Amino acid sequence: MNNPTEPLNIPDKPQGPAAGAENVTLGTDTTKHAAPAEPTHPVRAGTMVWGAVVVVIGVLVIITRQSGLQLDTGQASMWLLFGAGLAMVAGGAVNVLRRK
């Protein structure tokens, strides 16, 4: 491959000693062991709430700019933070009740 514009010859299936590595048995043990599943961590309520706050701010900015509306940013921010606080308290309460 002297010319960089030539296509690469990439085989569909891997070749070589590692191609059949999943079927290799050592000793007399013929069972295949699955990899242990990684523990899943639930998403924290605060992460979801602040993500939603950022999305709502972005949507409000786009809507007000495109429609030519005037938005009182102070009042909108207060209501948005109030809703975020309620969502965080509710998410925390759900987590506490779920653990009991």
Side-chain angles (χ1 to χ4, degrees), residues 8-81:
L8 296 174
N9 291 328
I10 301 174
D12 291 338
K13 294 182 181 179
Q15 299 173 351
E22 66 273 359
N23 294 330
V24 173
T25 58
L26 301 174
T28 59
D29 186 15
T30 59
T31 60
K32 292 183 181 179
H33 299 286
E38 293 183 23
T40 58
H41 299 289
V43 178
R44 296 176 57 184
T47 303
M48 293 296 295
V49 169
W50 286 114
V53 166
V54 171
V55 169
V56 168
I57 288 173
V59 168
L60 284 175
V61 168
I62 290 171
I63 289 174
T64 56
R65 296 286 170 119
Q66 293 297 321
S67 64
L69 296 174
Q70 295 294 325
L71 181 67
D72 183 10
T73 56
Q75 187 175 14
S77 299
M78 285 188 299
W79 281 109
L80 191 58
L81 290 174

